[in-house]
Amino acid sequence: GDSVTQMEGPVTLSEEAFLTINCTYTATGYPSLFWYVQYPGEGLQLLLKATKADDKGSNKGFEATYRKETTSFHLEKGSVQVSDSAVYFCALKVGNEKLTFGTGTRLTIIP
Amino acid sequence: NAGVMQNPRHLVRRRGQEARLRCSPMKGHSHVYWYRQLPEEGLKFMVYLQKENIIDESGMPKERFSAEFPKEGPSILRIQQVVRGDSAAYFCASSTRTAQRDTEAFFGQGTRLTVV
């Protein structure tokens, strides 16, 4: 079946540090890939997405590139801010729109 | 245009009671999905519905859980005879179309169920 494996947290960084959260996947078909962010007490918000190999999704300074050869979709940001503190979920979708999520990575940015 | 609305935000039930969770999709959205998030875990798919139809319920427990999305009104996730293991956050998402690679699902803020 489909699955997503992402870097376990929690991750704690200083403000302006470089961020990488690893995500790899297995899928029975050709998936679309997503990163969602969840702020405390809130639902999930789509952060970025990529629908085919070599596509790069980007938003709010975050980037992720769809790497079919390594089945990966790692999330990166060059300079994190305190406001980026949240839980980040990698997810995939094949066909009928059911999303398969990773377990989430809790990110804390300290000033 | 209001987002996906879930209510209640917090729900406390005693073991053996029934829990009813409501989800009103975004205006114009006819597809609804329910997910469950256990503490410190990711979201797990439960069920996918269109108006008056269950499309995929492969993630639903076989007993005590049911879902509906009537022609009029919100989608309802119903849990009968709740047990402590049902304590979780239940999220609803909605979208406009099926089988589109870039279709975004919009999530509600969730209902946090606590069984005491």
Side-chain angles (χ1 to χ4, degrees):
Chain A
D2 300 338
S3 67
V4 175
T5 302
Q6 65 179 101
M7 178 175 163
E8 288 195 17
V11 174
T12 302
L13 295 172
S14 297
E15 204 166 20
E16 300 183 1
F18 183 85
L19 168 71
T20 300
I21 301 177
N22 290 337
C23 171
T24 58
Y25 66 89
T26 59
T28 52
Y30 191 162
S32 296
L33 302 174
F34 304 83
W35 277 100
Y36 281 85
V37 58
Q38 184 180 31
Y39 297 102
E42 300 294 324
L44 274 70
Q45 302 174 24
L46 179 65
L47 180 60
L48 53 84
K49 63 184 177 184
T51 59
K52 61 183 188 297
D54 300 324
D55 272 1
K56 178 186 284 188
S58 61
N59 185 27
K60 299 181 181 179
F62 291 89
E63 293 183 340
T65 301
Y66 190 143
R67 300 288 187 200
K68 193 175 182 183
E69 65 276 14
T70 55
T71 62
S72 65
F73 193 54
H74 305 321
L75 183 68
E76 296 182 335
K77 186 174 185 180
S79 177
V80 292
Q81 306 299 315
V82 172
S83 57
D84 294 327
S85 297
V87 181
Y88 291 81
F89 292 95
C90 186
L92 67 82
K93 179 180 75 170
V94 178
N96 71 350
E97 296 197 68
K98 176 177 68 177
L99 285 160
T100 300
F101 287 91
T103 54
T105 301
R106 183 177 300 277
L107 174 67
T108 301
I109 308 301
I110 54 177
Chain B
N1 186 8
V4 178
M5 303 301 292
Q6 289 188 249
N7 67 82
R9 289 291 305 276
H10 301 275
L11 181 62
V12 179
R13 284 287 178 266
R14 295 186 184 280
R15 281 179 295 171
Q17 290 185 319
E18 178 180 287
R20 292 172 68 88
L21 288 62
R22 296 175 185 79
C23 169
S24 296
M26 287 182 68
K27 187 176 181 180
H29 287 192
S30 57
H31 304 277
V32 166
Y33 316 81
W34 287 93
Y35 294 84
R36 176 165 62 175
Q37 184 180 31
L38 295 171
E40 302 303 318
E41 293 189 14
L43 279 74
K44 302 293 186 186
F45 169 78
M46 299 182 74
V47 62
Y48 164 35
L49 310 104
Q50 295 179 25
K51 287 282 188 181
E52 301 183 281
N53 287 303
I54 296 174
I55 307 302
D56 180 351
E57 56 181 347
S58 59
M60 286 279 271
K62 293 291 186 282
E63 298 178 348
R64 301 188 298 107
F65 285 72
S66 62
E68 63 177 5
F69 187 17
K71 187 176 181 181
E72 301 292 337
S75 175
I76 305 290
L77 180 67
R78 182 182 178 205
I79 311 172
Q80 295 178 291
Q81 299 176 320
V82 295
V83 301
R84 288 218 170 110
D86 296 333
S87 296
Y90 292 83
F91 289 95
C92 171
S94 72
S95 69
T96 55
R97 299 172 293 176
T98 58
Q100 299 293 324
R101 295 181 62 80
D102 62 347
T103 300
E104 180 178 350
F106 292 83
F107 282 80
Q109 293 185 306
T111 293
R112 281 156 180 81
L113 172 66
T114 302
V115 179
V116 297

